[in-house]
Amino acid sequence: KAGVTQTPRYLIKTRGQQVTLSCSPISGHRSVSWYQQTPGQGLQFLFEYFSETQRNKGNFPGRFSGRQFSNSRSEMNVSTLELGDSALYLCASSVLSGRTLYEQYFGPGTRLTVT
Amino acid sequence: DAKTTQPPSMDCAEGRAANLPCNHSTISGNEYVYWYRQIHSQGPQYIIHGLKNNETNEMASLIITEDRKSSTLILPHATLRDTAVYYCIVRPHSGNTPLVFGKGTRLSVIA
């Protein structure tokens, strides 16, 4: 079974621009979560989507947004990029069966550099 | 905030068992202990999880104390490829509580 895939793997953007990152979960997984990882703050939760609905949101400004499509693929968008948005953005998928949340499987991440 | 405490770093000789401790003294009755690891510049990889019984899979063993206030992840025969940051996380097994990663333990396996 193919793992979580993220595109692109590397991205360089300029301050003020916007960026869209994509995540394809493992087949059959319906929950997608996004995380930001920086050397200073470590791994921080951004948001989670299940069945095209945002289920949870971390403590990030409104410049960070996401969505999920009917095929469970997800995108996250960052508008008005700042230098501090430079990070590894990780996507994780999991099976959500009833009320039980199974372990999350992570993709390789998208390395975003803002100059 | 992370609800776990882990040593920042550990060394282990190749071929020996690596024992990674984790304190979670405020763990609730419905919270499981999860372990992930992250090899440099890759996404975190799920290793194992447990509630109160010891667990073993092909990657590792998880020993949880009877009072559930601490646990130990055991890699029975560490290899150089096990060099990574290991994260211990506690969270409910059900619901949609996100994973909260602390700083983890940087394990260095030495030849």
Side-chain angles (χ1 to χ4, degrees):
Chain A
K1 187 184 278 191
V4 178
T5 58
Q6 293 187 245
T7 56
R9 292 293 312 279
Y10 301 91
L11 203 52
I12 300 175
K13 289 287 189 178
T14 304
R15 265 184 309 176
Q17 288 185 315
Q18 73 166 13
V19 67
T20 299
L21 311 181
S22 180
C23 171
S24 293
I26 293 172
S27 178
H29 286 197
R30 298 169 62 193
S31 172
V32 173
S33 297
W34 288 90
Y35 294 80
Q36 181 198 63
Q37 186 173 32
T38 60
Q41 298 298 320
L43 257 162
Q44 293 184 290
F45 171 75
L46 279 158
F47 29 66
E48 180 202 0
Y49 286 87
F50 174 72
S51 292
E52 303 177 62
T53 301
Q54 188 179 87
R55 297 288 296 273
N56 242 327
K57 190 176 191 308
N59 189 25
F60 278 82
R63 299 185 297 107
F64 292 81
S65 63
R67 60 177 174 168
Q68 186 180 34
F69 302 95
S70 58
N71 62 358
S72 295
R73 189 177 70 85
S74 177
E75 290 181 346
M76 68 162 283
N77 184 276
V78 187
S79 63
T80 320
L81 284 166
E82 302 176 359
L83 295 179
D85 297 332
S86 295
L88 180 66
Y89 289 88
L90 292 157
C91 161
S93 76
S94 60
V95 174
L96 194 64
S97 175
R99 297 171 60 186
T100 300
L101 183 64
Y102 288 73
E103 60 272 12
Q104 295 188 350
Y105 294 87
F106 283 80
T110 294
R111 172 75 61 185
L112 172 66
T113 301
V114 182
T115 62
Chain B
D1 289 343
K3 298 176 62 175
T4 61
T5 303
Q6 300 177 253
S9 64
M10 293 181 62
D11 292 338
C12 177
E14 189 177 22
R16 304 295 295 269
N19 296 281
L20 293 96
C22 179
N23 286 322
H24 32 79
S25 58
T26 60
I27 191 170
S28 301
N30 68 336
E31 289 182 319
Y32 282 64
V33 180
Y34 283 76
W35 283 84
Y36 282 78
R37 73 179 182 183
Q38 188 173 23
I39 296 170
H40 182 63
S41 294
Q42 297 181 22
Q45 176 188 23
Y46 164 79
I47 300 173
I48 198 168
H49 72 278
L51 181 62
K52 55 183 179 181
N53 298 318
N54 297 339
E55 302 287 344
T56 295
N57 63 20
E58 64 278 5
M59 289 184 66
S61 294
L62 175 60
I63 309 297
I64 303 174
T65 58
E66 193 169 341
D67 63 8
R68 303 210 320 124
K69 292 185 177 182
S70 65
S71 61
T72 301
L73 178 75
I74 301 173
L75 307 179
H77 306 286
T79 70
L80 298 178
R81 281 180 286 188
D82 292 322
T83 293
V85 178
Y86 287 77
Y87 297 97
C88 169
I89 300 163
V90 297
R91 65 182 298 278
H93 200 49
S94 61
N96 52 4
T97 305
L99 295 171
V100 177
F101 288 79
K103 296 190 181 301
T105 295
R106 183 174 298 278
L107 175 68
S108 298
V109 181
I110 303 166

